[in-house]
């Protein structure tokens, strides 16, 4: 069963704040988007903002109250749903006339949509009675996009009472966020990203809404964001043994994406999608058989024919032709368009200063860094105010950030209580330790830079929505961290929601003049650059040789796969395909010239 019906794309989660209220902006047009629910302090500010915006009384949920984090999340999600439901109710009453949002709803639908064809029939009808009948029919067919939510599984620190006692199971960051969603009124999907968290997956079983009812309907579906088939199968089986059905596997490019990047061992998006396509039925059948056993043990009856099973993809898509090819060739239900929507003020939260920086940004301003305290590669904009602030703090002799929210506090190297590696406290301690090593200046600077590269994401990734809506800044911290994928280098213009949707469906072209290769070539080049950095940073060749050889081999296999794929790409010009073939040959040549030697690990 398909989940996506109105549109063939979705807006993925972006940062902490960039899509935190996107459903309020786009769901009434049938567009699905994803809200991050990990940052409850920001959510509390958004609760106040939206209660005030609809003229209802706001009652603070204080940090002094029991289970405040869960209650904030639940109430915010219910509030968003309430607003969207009202928007749909109003939308259905609007006249079918130019400038009306009901017209916008139907005009933005893809031309392949049955509902769009019925709308066009209504527009062309000269029979008043028939036209009125069709309009009533169309009004009843209007549905909102899903209000999906995201938890980054690794963000799951334990929490403590005011007295310093560790709170029981269920009060950690990820588990309390899950409970907040589970207790909400939403009928949507929970997207788990950043890998497997055993206690989080076990906690799902406590909430009946994650299990299918007899008809096969699941009120709160599970979506796993993965970067390869093996991960999907392993995590899917873990959940299936609990009777939890995975309704969607969302494949994201390991490196050609926004935010945190999870590099594969040289496995590329095309071959990964091909494996999912080939093994789709096998995957579905294996997980279903495990689930059936679990349901029988729980005395559950489920109509398995109505269970949703979707495979989607996202990361670096930039044209309607790429979108269409991915969906059709790999049998995908939806394509995620993330970073380009940062250029759409109607859909996402980017403050004016940062929006201008995105418009002015050059290709080299998009950078894969290690700014994240999680130690995972993280895409940043070099010209952001957060990056400027980080460098100014270093220059003033006070590297690191004040740490108030502690969502990324995981380091216990110097303290019993975990602290954040981006914090001033940790970086000062780490630099003192470095000073005692008496290293030569070159090695010292190298290690020093690694320490101070970490930046505060808890504040930086939440500031833009506060600035955009003139809300009180957290601790007066106004620096904005923004984490677009490198694909945004090809989008430099602020556009309307209708223009962006039109670009996705091939009606307009909003790309800038930067020369752009295909999504496959762009990802391959990013992996090649990453591979070279891995080689140059390798200090123990023998330990890394096997990994590096495997990485290179997988890239070469990916190139062979793409060469065989070219004849199947029917919606591009011969010139486009010829350029793609030449680019593959050039990258293959560069790879073949990389030779490993123990005394000199890289030779190009």
């Amino acid at each position: 069963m398909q989940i996506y019906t109105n549109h063939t794309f979705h807006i993925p989660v972006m940062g902490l704040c960039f899509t935190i209220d996107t459903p309020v902006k786009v769901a009434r047009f049938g567009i699905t988007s994803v809200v991050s629910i990990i940052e409850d302090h920001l959510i509390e500010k958004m609760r106040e903002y939206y209660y005030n915006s609809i003229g209802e009384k706001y009652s603070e949920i204080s940090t002094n109250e029991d289970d405040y984090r869960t209650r904030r999340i639940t109430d915010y999600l219910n509030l968003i749903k309430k607003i969207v439901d009202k928007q749909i109710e109003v939308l259905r009453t609007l006249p079918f006339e130019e400038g009306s949002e009901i017209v916008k709803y139907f005009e933005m639908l893809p031309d392949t949509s049955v509902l769009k064809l019925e709308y066009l029939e209504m527009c062309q009808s000269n029979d008043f009675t028939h036209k009125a009948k069709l309009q009533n029919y169309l009004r009843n067919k209007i549905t909102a996009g899903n209000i999906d939510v995201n938890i980054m599984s690794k963000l799951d620190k334990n929490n403590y009472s005011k007295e310093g006692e560790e709170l029981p199971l269920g009060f950690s960051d990820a588990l309390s966020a899950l409970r907040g969603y589970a207790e909400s009124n939403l009928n949507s999907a929970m997207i788990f990203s950043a890998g497997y968290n055993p206690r989080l997956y076990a906690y799902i079983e406590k909430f009946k809404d994650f299990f299918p009812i007899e008809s096969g309907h699941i009120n709160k579906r599970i979506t796993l964001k993965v970067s390869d088939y093996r991960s999907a199968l392993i995590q899917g089986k873990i959940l299936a043994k609990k009777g939890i059905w995975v309704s969607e596997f969302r494949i994201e490019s390991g490196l050609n994406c926004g935010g945190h990047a999870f590099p594969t061992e040289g496995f590329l998006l095309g071959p990964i999608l091909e494996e999912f396509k080939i093994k789709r039925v096998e995957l579905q059948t294996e997980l279903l058989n495990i689930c059936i056993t679990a349901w029988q043990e729980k005395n559950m009856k489920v109509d398995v024919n109505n269970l949703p099973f979707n495979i989607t993809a996202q990361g670096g898509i930039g044209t309607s032709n790429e979108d269409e090819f991915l969906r059709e060739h790999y049998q995908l239900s939806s394509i995620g368009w993330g970073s380009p929507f940062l250029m759409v003020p109607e859909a996402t939260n980017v403050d004016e200063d940062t929006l201008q920086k995105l418009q002015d940004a050059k290709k080299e301003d998009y950078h894969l860094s290690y700014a994240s305290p999680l130690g995972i590669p993280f895409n940043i904009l070099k010209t952001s105010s957060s990056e400027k602030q980080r460098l100014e703090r270093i220059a003033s002799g006070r590297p690191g950030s004040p740490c108030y929210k502690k969502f990324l506090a995981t380091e216990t190297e110097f303290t019993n209580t975990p602290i954040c590696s981006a914090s001033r406290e940790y970086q000062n301690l780490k630099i003192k330790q470095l000073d005692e090593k008496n290293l030569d200046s070159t090695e010292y600077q190298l290690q020093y830079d690694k320490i101070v590269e970490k930046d505060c994401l808890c504040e930086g990734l939440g500031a833009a929505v506060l600035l955009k809506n003139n809300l009180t800044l957290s601790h007066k911290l106004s620096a904005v961290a923004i984490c677009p994928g490198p694909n945004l280098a090809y989008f430099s213009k602020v556009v309307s929601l209708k223009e962006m949707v039109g670009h996705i469906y091939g009606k307009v072209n909003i790309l800038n003049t930067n020369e752009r290769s295909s999504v496959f070539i762009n990802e391959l080049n990013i992996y090649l650059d990453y591979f070279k950095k891995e080689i140059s940073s390798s200090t123990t060749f023998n330990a890394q040789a096997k990994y590096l050889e495997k990485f290179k081999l997988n890239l070469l296999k990916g190139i062979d796969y793409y060469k065989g794929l070219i004849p199947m790409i029917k919606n591009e010009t011969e010139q486009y395909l010829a350029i793609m073939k030449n680019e593959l040959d050039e990258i293959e040549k560069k790879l073949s010239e990389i030779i490993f030697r123990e005394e000199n690990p890289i030779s190009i």
Side-chain angles (χ1 to χ4, degrees):
M1 185 183 79
Q2 295 285 333
I3 297 170
Y4 302 92
T5 54
N6 288 320
H7 286 279
T8 60
F9 73 92
H10 59 271
I11 303 176
V13 67
M14 286 187 274
L16 297 176
C17 80
F18 303 111
T19 58
I20 195 166
D21 60 347
T22 294
V24 174
K25 305 171 188 294
V26 306
R28 67 185 180 278
F29 299 114
I31 298 171
T32 289
S33 60
V34 187
V35 175
S36 171
I37 59 170
I38 206 70
E39 218 285 51
D40 64 282
H41 303 284
L42 184 60
I43 283 173
E44 184 63 15
K45 289 180 181 291
M46 299 307 293
R47 282 185 66 244
E48 180 178 12
Y49 174 76
Y50 274 108
Y51 271 114
N52 290 335
S53 73
I54 64 175
E56 291 192 12
K57 182 182 177 182
Y58 160 72
S59 297
E60 180 188 5
I61 300 175
S62 167
T63 56
N64 294 320
E65 299 179 36
D66 290 340
D67 205 15
Y68 69 88
R69 177 174 163 78
T70 296
R71 291 173 54 216
R72 285 174 168 181
I73 293 168
T74 299
D75 190 76
Y76 180 63
L77 296 178
N78 287 344
L79 177 59
I80 289 179
K81 183 179 186 301
K82 180 178 179 179
I83 293 171
V84 171
D85 287 347
K86 181 63 178 178
Q87 290 173 338
I88 292 293
E89 183 182 320
V90 171
L91 191 64
R92 287 175 175 155
T93 68
L94 297 177
F96 281 89
E97 60 186 28
E98 188 175 351
S100 173
E101 283 201 339
I102 195 170
V103 169
K104 184 177 179 180
Y105 177 98
F106 288 102
E107 287 186 346
M108 284 199 297
L109 292 174
D111 290 341
T112 53
S113 163
V114 173
L115 200 56
K116 178 66 169 287
L117 296 174
E118 292 167 331
Y119 166 74
L120 294 175
E121 180 187 345
M122 182 277 295
C123 292
Q124 295 162 6
S125 176
N126 294 318
D127 184 325
F128 178 81
T129 302
H130 182 59
K131 196 180 192 78
K133 184 178 180 180
L134 282 174
Q135 287 183 352
N136 287 333
Y137 168 81
L138 291 170
R139 293 184 201 279
N140 291 327
K141 286 292 183 177
I142 291 174
T143 55
N146 292 333
I147 305 171
D148 292 341
V149 302
N150 169 256
I151 292 177
M152 194 172 177
S153 301
K154 299 298 185 186
L155 299 186
D156 192 24
K157 76 174 190 323
N158 293 328
N159 289 309
Y160 297 81
S161 68
K162 298 292 183 182
E163 294 74 29
E165 296 180 357
E166 185 174 325
L167 295 174
L169 181 70
F171 289 87
S172 65
D173 284 347
L175 271 62
S176 56
L178 176 68
R179 186 169 65 257
Y181 171 66
E183 294 178 355
S184 76
N185 299 328
L186 292 184
N187 177 357
S188 63
M190 162 63 73
I191 293 105
F192 290 129
S193 59
Y196 172 50
N197 178 339
R199 69 178 182 181
L200 177 63
Y201 282 27
Y203 197 56
I204 301 172
E205 283 189 89
K206 292 185 176 295
F207 306 100
K208 65 178 183 179
D209 270 6
F210 290 109
F211 291 92
I213 60 176
E214 187 170 347
S215 67
H217 173 77
I218 307 173
N219 201 39
K220 290 179 171 61
R221 301 179 298 277
I222 295 295
T223 293
L224 295 183
K225 187 159 74 171
V226 296
S227 54
D228 58 57
Y229 181 84
R230 180 175 176 272
S231 176
L233 179 60
I234 291 172
Q235 292 186 68
K237 289 170 72 172
I238 290 170
L239 290 170
K241 289 175 182 177
K242 304 175 189 299
I244 301 295
W245 177 252
V246 177
S247 298
E248 178 185 342
F249 290 98
R250 183 167 292 186
I251 300 107
E252 183 173 66
S253 169
L255 288 176
N256 196 9
C257 61
H260 286 95
F262 296 87
T264 65
E265 293 182 331
F267 295 109
L268 302 171
L269 183 63
I272 291 168
L273 291 175
E274 186 71 31
E275 185 172 14
F276 272 91
K277 177 182 176 181
I278 292 170
K279 298 179 179 178
R280 180 190 185 107
V281 174
E282 178 185 333
L283 175 64
Q284 185 177 8
T285 302
E286 184 169 0
L287 297 183
L288 181 58
N289 288 336
I290 297 171
C291 269
I292 289 173
T293 300
W295 294 333
Q296 288 173 343
E297 292 173 354
K298 295 176 184 288
N299 295 316
M300 292 172 55
K301 292 182 178 180
V302 178
D303 184 349
V304 298
N305 296 311
N306 288 327
L307 288 171
F309 187 75
N310 295 265
I311 295 175
T312 63
Q314 59 195 43
I317 293 93
T319 70
S320 61
N321 281 355
E322 289 176 351
D323 180 294
E324 178 186 40
F325 177 77
L326 288 172
R327 282 187 292 106
E328 294 185 357
H329 185 76
Y330 296 109
Q331 301 167 16
L332 305 176
S333 304
S334 178
I335 297 293
W337 284 71
S339 296
F341 271 97
L342 293 172
M343 307 303 292
V344 186
E346 286 178 69
T348 57
N349 297 300
V350 183
D351 61 288
E352 286 297 328
D353 178 65
T354 305
L355 196 57
Q356 187 61 54
K357 285 181 168 63
L358 292 177
Q359 293 177 77
D360 297 339
K362 300 177 176 60
K363 282 187 179 182
E364 56 267 25
D365 292 328
Y366 297 96
H367 171 59
L368 187 64
S369 73
Y370 277 90
S372 171
L374 293 178
I376 300 167
F378 186 70
N379 281 294
I380 63 168
L381 179 70
K382 288 182 181 179
T383 58
S384 70
S385 55
S386 179
E387 182 66 1
K388 179 184 177 183
Q389 175 182 260
R390 184 185 71 85
L391 295 174
E392 287 175 346
R393 286 171 172 169
I394 295 169
S396 68
R398 300 193 72 211
S401 309
C403 187
Y404 298 106
K405 295 176 179 175
K406 306 184 186 302
F407 287 111
L408 302 179
T410 59
E411 291 289 346
T412 55
E413 183 178 359
F414 303 107
T415 58
N416 292 326
T417 302
I419 58 176
C420 181
S421 60
S423 69
R424 186 164 295 145
E425 178 184 8
Y426 178 83
Q427 292 191 8
N428 283 342
L429 291 168
K430 196 69 176 173
I431 291 169
K432 286 180 182 178
Q433 182 189 68
L434 181 63
D435 291 340
E436 295 170 357
K437 293 183 177 181
N438 297 317
L439 301 173
D440 64 72
S441 59
T442 301
E443 182 61 24
Y444 179 91
Q445 190 63 47
L446 182 66
Q447 294 196 29
Y448 178 86
D449 290 343
K450 287 182 179 180
I451 295 169
V452 300
E453 185 177 15
K454 306 300 182 189
D455 198 9
C456 176
L457 301 185
C458 296
E459 303 291 355
L461 290 178
V465 69
L466 304 178
L467 291 168
K468 182 176 180 179
N469 294 298
N470 297 313
L471 301 177
T472 304
L473 289 165
S474 176
H475 305 285
K476 298 182 180 180
L477 296 170
S478 61
V480 173
I482 193 163
C483 49
N487 187 49
L488 196 58
Y490 307 103
F491 295 84
S492 302
K493 183 172 65 173
V494 173
V495 295
S496 67
L497 177 63
K498 190 173 181 180
E499 285 176 308
M500 179 57 73
V501 174
H503 176 80
I504 293 170
Y505 293 143
K507 297 177 182 178
V508 296
N509 178 20
I510 62 173
L511 292 175
N512 58 29
T513 56
N514 287 338
E515 186 176 338
R516 183 182 182 279
S517 301
S518 81
V519 60
F520 297 131
I521 298 296
N522 282 337
E523 185 199 45
L524 184 52
N525 275 317
I526 294 168
Y527 264 99
L528 179 61
D529 290 342
Y530 181 83
F531 179 52
K532 289 179 179 178
K533 289 178 183 177
E534 285 289 284
I535 295 172
S536 62
S537 64
S538 177
T539 56
T540 53
F541 174 72
N542 289 334
Q544 289 288 94
K546 187 175 181 181
Y547 162 76
L548 294 173
E549 287 286 4
K550 184 177 181 181
F551 201 110
K552 179 180 176 179
L553 179 62
N554 288 332
L555 289 180
L556 290 170
K557 286 181 178 178
I559 290 171
D560 284 342
Y561 170 82
Y562 285 137
K563 286 182 178 180
L565 186 70
I566 287 176
M568 303 180 194
I569 304 176
K570 304 296 184 182
N571 60 350
E572 300 286 3
T573 64
E574 289 185 10
Q575 181 184 12
Y576 176 97
L577 298 177
I579 291 172
M580 184 176 174
K581 172 66 167 60
N582 289 337
E583 288 174 320
L584 288 171
D585 289 339
E586 290 175 9
I587 297 171
E588 186 176 38
K589 184 173 183 294
K590 290 178 182 177
L591 266 174
S592 65
E593 291 172 349
I594 297 176
I595 302 170
F596 304 112
R597 296 190 185 94
E598 186 171 357
E599 69 279 6
N600 180 22
I602 181 171
S603 177
I604 300 178

